[in-house]
Amino acid sequence: ISKIAHMVESYMDQKPAIYDRFNKLADATVLPILSIGLANQLITRNLAKTSGILTIDYNTNLRVSIPIAIASSISKASTHGILIKGGRSLEAMSKIQYIVMDKTGTITKGEPVITDLIPLEDSLNQEELLRIAASLEQRLKHPIAEAIVNLAKEKNLELYEREDSDYDIGLGISAKLLQGQDTLHEYKFGSSRYMANHKISITKHIKDIARQKHDEGKTVLYLAKDKKIIGLIAFKDMIREEAKDVIRKLKDIGIKLMMLTGDNEEVAQAIAKEVGIEEFRARVSPEEKAKYIEKLKKEGYKVAMVGDGVNDSVALSAADLGIAMGDGSQVAIDVADVVLVKEDLNLIYKAIKLSKDTMRVVDNNIKFNFTINTLGIAMAILGSGNPAFSVMINNGSTILSALYSITPDIENG
């Protein structure tokens, strides 16, 4: 909690780009106001009127109201489990047109359940298949790896020692296992794409088994030994209860959505259809996720990426705005611009709504600031000359803007 509080305080100092633009504009008014004041003094010789003109300051309002609006919104968001890393992130979120979402751990709960252990050789039983897979996946920080290892622990299976491992993020792992005294066997465990990358063929019989599991909404992983597939492990990851409703609400405010996943086409299609996402891409590697985002950016979209794992970190960095699930990997959380501390996709909609409301308030304050202060200068020039009235206009408008700046509320989402 202390770390989060410190992060929130440090992020509040990061002002949005709009602040810099209009602060420069406000600075540009200083010389014209001095010139008008000097000209008035030379023409009218009325020091009171000149003082009234010079009292008007376009900077004060912006330097007070914009930081208050940003700090207030970031603070309100943090109390609801949304960590927004500064004013620039808040501003970027308000402009998002396209949201790209990872599947596992984002649209789904990221808590896969192992449903099927399918040995494909007579010499291999279910327990040995699980033991080999868990030995390969041990120490990997991925929900599927953890589910396999935890199931092996539940069955009190002693894992083999793993050597010379080579982990291809999001696809699979190759390693040698010490089975018996000084006996090493090399295995590969991963997706069908991982098998294809290593030129391991999948027979029609195995494809039929996998297709049947895909039709049941399950994902299949392949275990190979010496270039031959010897077993399959199927699992299922449950969709978050709120996913469908959140996606509908995001569509209602004009945001386009795409789901990217390393999973197979059938499972990806089933999940996309269930939650209401028309556009999806399956069998996508971490690097390809980033390329899809770059493609959308080149088409002119402001793109947000929502993910949770190490394999999402490249895409989170590539997006205009990275949104990380707080229960995900530390790498994803570190590179993201927004972190959802609570496991609730509703927070994405609430955060976007809050950012839009906040930037609308900032924009209204900027317009109000230039209008009221310009009116104040005009009244100072045309009036009899009363510096106190100019002070009231300048400081009064600042107070009103500051009060208006705290009105955006995340509850409105």
Side-chain angles (χ1 to χ4, degrees):
I1 293 172
S2 175
K3 184 178 179 181
I4 290 173
H6 175 71
M7 289 172 74
V8 170
E9 288 174 2
S10 64
Y11 295 148
M12 284 180 180
D13 294 333
Q14 299 178 18
K15 299 177 178 63
I18 195 172
Y19 178 86
D20 295 333
R21 292 196 300 271
F22 284 94
N23 199 37
K24 289 178 181 178
L25 182 58
D27 287 342
T29 64
V30 173
L31 186 58
I33 290 173
L34 288 174
S35 300
I36 292 170
L38 179 61
N40 178 80
Q41 182 62 27
L42 291 174
I43 295 170
T44 66
R45 304 290 180 177
N46 187 332
L47 187 58
K49 183 181 290 190
T50 301
S51 298
I53 295 170
L54 296 178
T55 299
I56 298 296
D57 174 20
Y58 287 85
N59 276 283
T60 304
N61 186 307
L62 295 180
R63 286 178 174 166
V64 172
S65 65
I66 294 180
I68 286 176
I70 300 302
S72 173
S73 293
I74 290 176
S75 178
K76 288 174 182 176
S78 67
T79 62
H80 285 76
I82 305 168
L83 183 59
I84 302 172
K85 299 182 180 180
R88 292 184 185 274
S89 297
L90 187 72
E91 183 180 23
M93 187 158 42
S94 71
K95 298 176 180 179
I96 291 303
Q97 302 164 300
Y98 222 115
I99 295 181
V100 176
M101 306 181 82
D102 177 47
K103 178 180 73 67
T104 304
T106 304
I107 294 176
T108 63
K109 293 181 178 180
E111 300 171 0
V113 177
I114 306 303
T115 57
D116 301 89
L117 299 167
I118 309 170
L120 297 174
E121 289 194 339
D122 294 337
S123 60
L124 185 68
N125 58 31
Q126 288 187 343
E127 283 198 350
E128 184 63 13
L129 170 59
L130 177 61
R131 186 182 182 188
I132 294 171
S135 300
L136 293 167
E137 296 279 81
Q138 61 184 309
R139 297 188 298 277
L140 295 183
K141 297 300 181 183
H142 188 280
I144 300 167
E146 291 175 349
I148 291 172
V149 173
N150 289 338
L151 182 59
K153 288 180 179 178
E154 288 174 16
K155 294 181 178 292
N156 297 315
L157 300 178
E158 186 178 347
L159 302 187
Y160 297 116
E161 186 178 334
R162 187 183 73 186
E163 296 182 8
D164 300 330
S165 62
D166 181 19
Y167 179 42
D168 194 343
I169 295 176
L171 292 176
I173 183 170
S174 299
K176 292 178 181 179
L177 299 181
L178 185 62
Q179 297 173 291
Q181 190 173 6
D182 299 326
T183 305
L184 286 171
H185 293 287
E186 186 170 353
Y187 292 93
K188 288 179 171 54
F189 184 60
S191 65
S192 58
R193 180 171 179 175
Y194 186 69
M195 296 296 129
N197 289 347
H198 289 272
K199 296 180 171 54
I200 298 174
S201 62
I202 302 175
T203 65
K204 183 180 182 302
H205 172 62
I206 296 175
K207 286 180 180 179
D208 289 341
I209 296 173
R211 191 176 298 111
Q212 181 185 346
K213 299 304 171 186
H214 294 162
D215 291 341
E216 296 170 7
K218 299 174 183 177
T219 301
V220 176
L221 296 176
Y222 302 76
L223 176 65
K225 179 183 179 182
D226 300 328
K227 296 289 184 179
K228 181 183 178 183
I229 295 175
I230 62 172
L232 306 175
I233 293 181
F235 67 90
K236 192 168 186 177
D237 194 2
M238 302 304 293
I239 295 173
R240 294 184 188 271
E241 291 82 359
E242 74 278 10
K244 187 174 182 179
D245 184 54
V246 171
I247 287 165
R248 177 188 57 78
K249 289 194 288 188
L250 289 171
K251 286 181 178 179
D252 288 345
I253 58 174
I255 292 178
K256 297 178 179 290
L257 292 116
M258 176 190 289
M259 184 183 79
L260 297 180
T261 177
D263 214 329
N264 64 76
E265 190 83 18
E266 293 86 352
V267 173
Q269 185 175 26
I271 290 177
K273 183 178 180 180
E274 186 170 344
V275 298
I277 296 179
E278 290 80 20
E279 197 173 356
F280 70 91
R281 301 290 184 275
R283 302 183 187 278
V284 180
S285 69
E287 293 78 12
E288 288 171 337
K289 288 180 181 179
K291 288 179 181 178
Y292 274 113
I293 288 172
E294 293 291 356
K295 179 176 179 291
L296 291 173
K297 288 169 66 175
K298 287 178 180 178
E299 291 174 5
Y301 292 106
K302 294 293 183 181
V303 184
M305 170 69 191
V306 187
D308 77 314
V310 173
N311 58 344
D312 297 323
S313 57
V314 178
L316 288 168
S317 299
D320 294 296
L321 183 82
I323 302 175
M325 306 298 289
D327 58 333
S329 73
Q330 189 61 47
V331 175
I333 291 171
D334 287 345
V335 303
D337 303 290
V338 179
V339 179
L340 307 183
V341 180
K342 296 180 181 178
E343 296 180 39
D344 185 359
L345 290 179
N346 278 305
L347 296 181
I348 297 175
Y349 175 77
K350 287 177 178 286
I352 291 175
K353 192 76 166 52
L354 177 68
S355 69
K356 289 181 178 294
D357 290 345
T358 303
M359 297 317 298
R360 175 178 51 80
V361 165
V362 168
D363 188 54
N364 288 343
N365 273 338
I366 290 169
K367 292 174 182 176
F368 174 68
N369 173 52
F370 278 89
T371 300
I372 195 70
N373 283 304
T374 301
L375 183 62
I377 291 175
M379 293 175 70
I381 293 172
L382 299 174
S384 58
N386 188 347
F389 182 75
S390 294
V391 170
M392 186 177 70
I393 289 286
N394 194 59
N395 293 341
S397 66
T398 300
I399 293 170
L400 288 174
S401 291
L403 293 173
Y404 179 54
S405 291
I406 63 174
T407 57
D409 193 348
I410 195 166
E411 294 294 349
N412 295 334

